[in-house]
Amino acid sequence: MSQYKAYPAYKDSGVEWLGRVPEHWQIKRLKHIANVQTGVAKGKDNEGKDTIEVPYLRVANVQDGYLSLDDVTTIEIPREDLECYSLQPGDVLMNEGGDFDKLGRGSVWQGEIEPCIHQNHVFAVRPTAVPSAWLNAFTGSLAAQFYFMGRAKQSTNLASISSSNIMELPVALPPEAEMDLLLDLVDHETARIDALVAKKTRFIELLREKRQALITHAVTKGLDPNVKMKDSGVEWLGEVPEHWSKPISLLSLAKSEQHSFVNGPFGSDLLTTELMDEGVPVIYIRDIRASAYRRVSEVFVSPAKAEQLRFCNVLPGDVVISKVGDPPGIAAVYPAGEEEGIVTQDVMRLRVDEQQVEPDFMAMLINSDYGRFNISQVSVESTRLRVGLGDFKQLKFTIPPVVEQRMILAALQPMLSQIDALMDKTATSVTLLKERRSALITAAVTGQIDLREAV
């Protein structure tokens, strides 16, 4: 922000977290410049009433700065309630809560679906004395987020804010002409940043596709382009090297049938109250990436509890696999140097017989298009796609001899490491661009920088 100058004169806003604002700006509570409309709660008894089925926005539809309308569900409400709850163009949609990053995030409704209502976890803020674009920019700023977090009810990883607290939000307001100018300048700059983010995000997608193609080709065709081939029996897969095995089940590749394949403990076996800040680590789905295992969960159980759940322990060299997701069945090798842990109920552990298969090759095979196709054939849909342990054990794969697996890994892993490093570097630059975007909006709508003479 060093290229922008400050306003000539400031005054105390009277709001501690907002600090100083330009001398000629005003501070008004949201309730004086907008109305807050709460939404419809699901599960109401409408028996005997004249109802109508209408589209219904949920928290998942209201993203940070845009609306995701590819999956809009419907709900039945009394016809007489439609006018009360219908969205109007210019409404600023804001999430009441959820994960911390969802609190207060939103976008301006432009009348994309008519009619449309919103659930009770989404607020429709209807401006009466301020442009929707300004209100949306201010409520999405870091300053407003600080206010929301300070007023929210919080529990483990979740937060929610009431409509009464939303209405008390202090909003910084420049004169109308200046407000329009600032919005135009911010829109121009954020559009440039968004274009860069989109370009870099697409580059990451292309790298990910290249990575996937390299893996799939290596684990289904091998390294020798001149090797004699045979029909795989899978139409889309085509031929595989002739000397590779006939399709064999994962169960036959396990170190021992009894203990190699396990689920994590069910909820009744591992209670939330038993989770701790230190002890034996618990492995969650979010720790499992197709590129590698990366612990992002800092959740533990006591050594005594871990001993009770020893049947689902994880050691370095074990393959851990997600049971749910889109797609399910993402695999990673639990790396050397990690202490013994336990898996949750949505994670499977596979301990392979290293005389037959290398753990890294097994993870790569499961993550390949070949593996994903096989897993998709036994996945079932509940709230998310899920694969059961019994079905997973029976999946069959054609694999090379273990010596050839090691050769494939030796050839492939350096290339994958280069791709992963480039993806990480690009992802970091995307994060920095998004942070710059957020900082620019915050500085503009709180008067920290003077854009009136910006070119």
Side-chain angles (χ1 to χ4, degrees):
M1 300 299 164
S2 57
Q3 71 269 37
Y4 301 115
K5 63 181 182 180
Y7 277 85
Y10 285 84
K11 65 181 179 182
D12 184 6
S13 67
V15 180
E16 184 177 359
W17 53 265
L18 194 54
R20 300 188 312 152
V21 296
E23 191 174 47
H24 61 291
W25 285 28
Q26 295 182 330
I27 304 296
K28 291 187 178 181
R29 300 282 176 179
L30 184 73
K31 63 185 177 183
H32 298 307
I33 58 174
N35 297 317
V36 178
Q37 176 177 287
T38 54
V40 176
K42 292 182 69 176
K44 285 190 174 181
D45 183 7
N46 295 319
E47 185 176 354
K49 297 180 181 179
D50 178 22
T51 60
I52 182 173
E53 186 174 354
V54 291
Y56 174 74
L57 291 190
R58 299 161 293 145
V59 169
N61 300 122
V62 183
Q63 299 293 320
D64 186 12
Y66 70 97
L67 300 174
S68 176
L69 302 178
D70 293 335
D71 181 24
V72 176
T73 60
T74 60
I75 189 173
E76 281 196 9
I77 63 168
R79 191 178 297 273
E80 62 186 24
D81 289 350
L82 180 59
E83 183 177 354
C84 175
Y85 292 111
S86 286
L87 294 171
Q88 297 180 11
D91 286 348
V92 178
L93 300 176
M94 295 173 55
N95 283 327
E96 171 256 7
D99 296 336
F100 290 156
D101 65 330
K102 296 181 178 67
L103 183 65
R105 77 178 182 189
S107 184
V108 179
W109 179 252
Q110 304 290 358
E112 290 89 340
I113 302 171
E114 184 65 36
C116 188
I117 65 174
H118 56 107
Q119 74 171 156
N120 58 317
H121 297 303
V122 176
F123 296 124
V125 183
R126 190 161 297 157
T128 57
V130 64
S132 299
W134 183 266
L135 186 56
N136 182 58
F138 189 87
T139 57
S141 70
L142 296 174
Q145 293 299 311
F146 180 85
Y147 170 86
F148 295 149
M149 288 300 298
R151 294 294 187 95
K153 293 181 180 179
Q154 299 183 32
S155 58
T156 306
N157 296 325
L158 296 175
S160 64
I161 190 166
S162 66
S163 59
S164 58
N165 277 317
I166 290 286
M167 289 190 287
E168 292 299 323
L169 170 71
V171 181
L173 299 170
E176 185 175 349
E178 185 177 341
M179 192 181 293
D180 292 339
L181 175 63
L182 294 179
L183 287 171
D184 286 343
L185 292 169
V186 168
D187 283 347
H188 179 270
E189 184 63 16
T190 55
R192 186 184 69 82
I193 294 174
D194 289 343
L196 284 172
V197 168
K199 185 177 180 180
K200 289 177 178 289
T201 301
R202 178 56 182 155
F203 182 54
I204 292 173
E205 291 172 356
L206 292 173
L207 287 172
R208 190 173 287 114
E209 290 172 5
K210 180 178 180 180
R211 187 183 195 282
Q212 187 70 7
L214 283 172
I215 290 173
T216 298
H217 186 274
V219 301
T220 59
K221 308 297 180 184
L223 300 175
D224 184 357
N226 300 312
V227 70
K228 192 172 181 180
M229 308 291 281
K230 66 180 178 183
D231 182 31
S232 66
V234 179
E235 184 177 355
W236 69 267
L237 185 59
E239 295 184 325
V240 296
E242 187 179 61
H243 66 285
W244 287 19
S245 69
K246 294 180 179 179
I248 55 177
S249 72
L250 291 181
L251 187 59
S252 67
L253 297 171
K255 196 164 190 178
S256 69
E257 181 176 340
Q258 185 178 2
H259 299 295
S260 289
F261 269 103
V262 295
N263 281 313
F266 290 103
S268 58
D269 297 324
L270 180 57
L271 303 176
T272 304
T273 53
E274 296 175 307
L275 301 179
M276 308 172 66
D277 294 330
E278 58 182 18
V280 178
V282 181
I283 299 163
Y284 287 85
I285 287 178
R286 56 183 174 266
D287 300 323
I288 302 172
R289 299 287 183 270
S291 56
Y293 172 87
R294 296 179 183 178
R295 185 191 296 174
V296 295
S297 305
E298 293 296 329
V299 182
F300 305 84
V301 294
S302 67
K305 185 63 181 180
E307 183 62 32
Q308 292 177 19
L309 300 173
R310 190 162 185 80
F311 65 91
C312 59
N313 73 330
V314 180
L315 301 172
D318 288 346
V319 182
V320 286
I321 307 134
S322 63
K323 291 179 62 179
V324 298
D326 186 21
I330 302 299
V333 176
Y334 198 60
E338 287 284 343
E339 56 186 309
E340 181 178 347
I342 61 169
V343 291
T344 62
Q345 62 181 349
D346 290 330
V347 177
M348 297 178 284
R349 183 209 69 202
L350 168 59
R351 190 165 291 158
V352 297
D353 178 1
E354 295 186 23
Q355 299 299 314
Q356 299 185 74
V357 61
E358 284 287 330
D360 285 306
F361 187 87
M362 175 55 65
M364 202 175 287
L365 182 63
I366 293 169
N367 290 329
S368 70
D369 290 344
Y370 184 24
R372 290 182 181 176
F373 174 79
N374 279 351
I375 293 167
S376 71
Q377 303 306 295
V378 296
S379 298
V380 295
E381 188 161 4
S382 51
T383 53
R384 288 193 293 173
L385 284 175
R386 175 179 291 272
V387 59
L389 179 65
D391 289 329
F392 193 83
K393 288 180 182 181
Q394 304 305 320
L395 291 180
K396 293 185 176 182
F397 290 93
T398 297
I399 63 169
V402 69
V403 173
E404 192 170 345
Q405 293 173 34
R406 293 169 185 152
M407 293 173 62
I408 291 171
L409 290 171
L412 206 58
Q413 285 177 331
M415 291 186 283
L416 297 181
S417 294
Q418 288 182 344
I419 292 173
D420 291 341
L422 188 52
M423 285 198 295
D424 286 344
K425 182 178 179 180
T426 308
T428 298
S429 68
V430 168
T431 299
L432 292 174
L433 282 169
K434 289 181 176 179
E435 289 175 353
R436 175 178 172 77
R437 184 186 193 278
S438 182
L440 173 67
I441 292 172
T442 299
V445 301
T446 58
Q448 298 171 37
I449 55 176
D450 187 353
L451 299 178
R452 292 174 298 177
E453 297 179 7
V455 178

